[in-house]
Amino acid sequence: MFQRFLGFIYLSAVSQLVSLTGTEAECPVQLNPQRAFVRYRGSVAVNCSTSVSHKGIGWEASEGAVPKTSNSLITWRVSHLTEWDIKPFCYINHKKQCQVELPITVYKTPDSVSISFVNHRGPMIEEQQYELQCDVHDVAPVQNLTVKWYKEQTLLNQTNFTEDSRTPVNVNTTLLIRPDRADDGAQYWCEAELDLGAEGPQPPPKETSGLVELYYKPKHSSSTEFNIIQKDEVKLTLNCTVKANPAPTYTWHSDHLKEEISSSVLQSSTLKHIPYQWLEYSKQRLAV
C-alpha cells in the first residue's frame, strides 16, 4: 500500500512538471493566418500579435523583416515573394525571447502543359498501341502535383509525384492507348493540378494541354451504277467512297477525261465522251 502511495505521488509530480514545462515552452504570440500559401512573385501578409506585456516583438525573414517594436501587433508583408525556401518567424521578448515560425508554401503553376505522341506521326491504325506523353514545364512544389488524363470528359488515369522539391521542375507522364474505330475523332488531353490541401487556394490551380484527335488511315468502299440505254447514250455513275478522318480529297484520272474531277462521285455528264467499249470493260473490272 505504501509503495502504491509513493508511486501516485511520483506520477503526480511528473505530470505537474510536464505541464509546467509545456506552459513555459509556449510562446505567447498568435499568427494570422497560421500558415501561408503564396504564388511565386505574389504578395503575402501575415499578422503576429500578443496579449501579454513584453520588451519587444518583431519578424525575422530574408524578405520583409520587421524591426523590433513595442506594439502588440505587427505584420510581415512582401509584395513580390521570390524566395522558395523562406522561413519567416515572429519573436517576442517575454521573460525570455521565444519565436514561432510561419509554415509557408511558395507555389508556381506550370509555364506550359503539352501533349504529344511518342515516336509517331500521322494517322493511326486501329487496334495498334500508341503512347501519349504529357509534359509539364516549370512547376512547384512537384509533390503536390497531379497529372490527369482525359478522353473527351472521361478521366482515364492520373499520376502523382513523390519527389520532394521546393523549386520548379519539369516532369512528364505517359499513357498507353489502343484505339479502335469507335474512337474515330476522339480527343485526348491532360491536365496539371496543384492540390495544396484544404487550406490552400480553392479551387486548386489547374493548367490544361491542347487536344490531340485520333485520325485513321482511309478505308475504301466503292460502288458503281450502270444503266446502258443504247450504245450512243450512256447513263453512268461511278462512286468511290473513302472512310477516313480527316476527310479525304478525291481526284479521278483517265485518258478519256478532259479534266481531273475532285469529287467522290463521277457522273455520266462527265463521262459522255468515254467510248462504250471502255465503259463495258470498266463495268466488268468494277464488278469483280
Side-chain angles (χ1 to χ4, degrees), residues 244-258:
N245 190 358
T249 56
Y250 299 87
T251 303
W252 291 83
H253 298 274
S254 171
D255 294 339
H256 305 284
L257 294 179
K258 294 184 177 181

Side-chain angles (χ1 to χ4, degrees), residues 34-204:
Q34 295 182 342
R35 65 178 301 127
F37 298 86
V38 188
R39 186 186 291 267
Y40 181 67
R41 296 188 184 276
S43 62
V44 59
V46 178
N47 292 328
C48 179
S49 61
T50 185
S51 58
V52 301
S53 59
H54 60 86
K55 298 179 180 179
I57 184 173
W59 277 98
E60 282 291 339
S62 52
E63 289 187 63
V66 181
K68 184 171 62 175
T69 178
S70 59
N71 296 337
S72 59
L73 184 148
I74 56 173
T75 302
W76 175 66
R77 181 179 285 106
V78 178
S79 58
H80 294 85
L81 187 61
T82 57
E83 186 175 337
W84 295 102
D85 199 26
I86 193 167
K87 295 179 179 180
F89 62 85
C90 179
Y91 66 89
I92 187 172
N93 291 321
H94 171 67
K95 297 182 180 179
K96 63 178 182 179
Q97 188 177 89
C98 63
Q99 65 189 46
V100 174
E101 184 176 315
L102 171 68
I104 183 169
T105 300
V106 182
Y107 67 93
K108 182 181 180 300
T109 56
D111 283 345
S112 64
V113 179
S114 59
I115 185 173
S116 60
F117 282 101
V118 178
N119 300 324
H120 176 77
R121 289 184 178 179
M124 292 176 291
I125 301 174
E126 59 183 323
E127 299 303 332
Q128 289 196 12
Q129 183 171 274
Y130 298 91
E131 186 175 23
L132 289 169
Q133 179 167 302
C134 184
D135 292 286
V136 183
H137 297 276
D138 219 26
V139 61
V142 69
Q143 57 269 27
N144 294 97
L145 176 68
T146 300
V147 174
K148 299 179 180 181
W149 286 97
Y150 289 90
K151 174 186 171 183
E152 304 295 345
Q153 299 303 314
T154 302
L155 177 64
L156 299 177
N157 198 7
Q158 63 183 45
T159 302
N160 298 314
F161 298 85
T162 58
E163 179 183 351
D164 188 4
S165 175
R166 287 179 174 266
T167 57
V169 296
N170 300 330
V171 294
N172 64 68
T173 182
T174 59
L175 177 72
L176 294 177
I177 61 173
R178 192 183 295 274
D180 57 29
R181 285 277 159 177
D183 294 322
D184 187 23
Q187 294 177 329
Y188 286 78
W189 52 286
C190 61
E191 177 184 79
E193 178 183 275
L194 271 179
D195 189 352
L196 300 171
E199 296 178 279
Q202 299 297 327

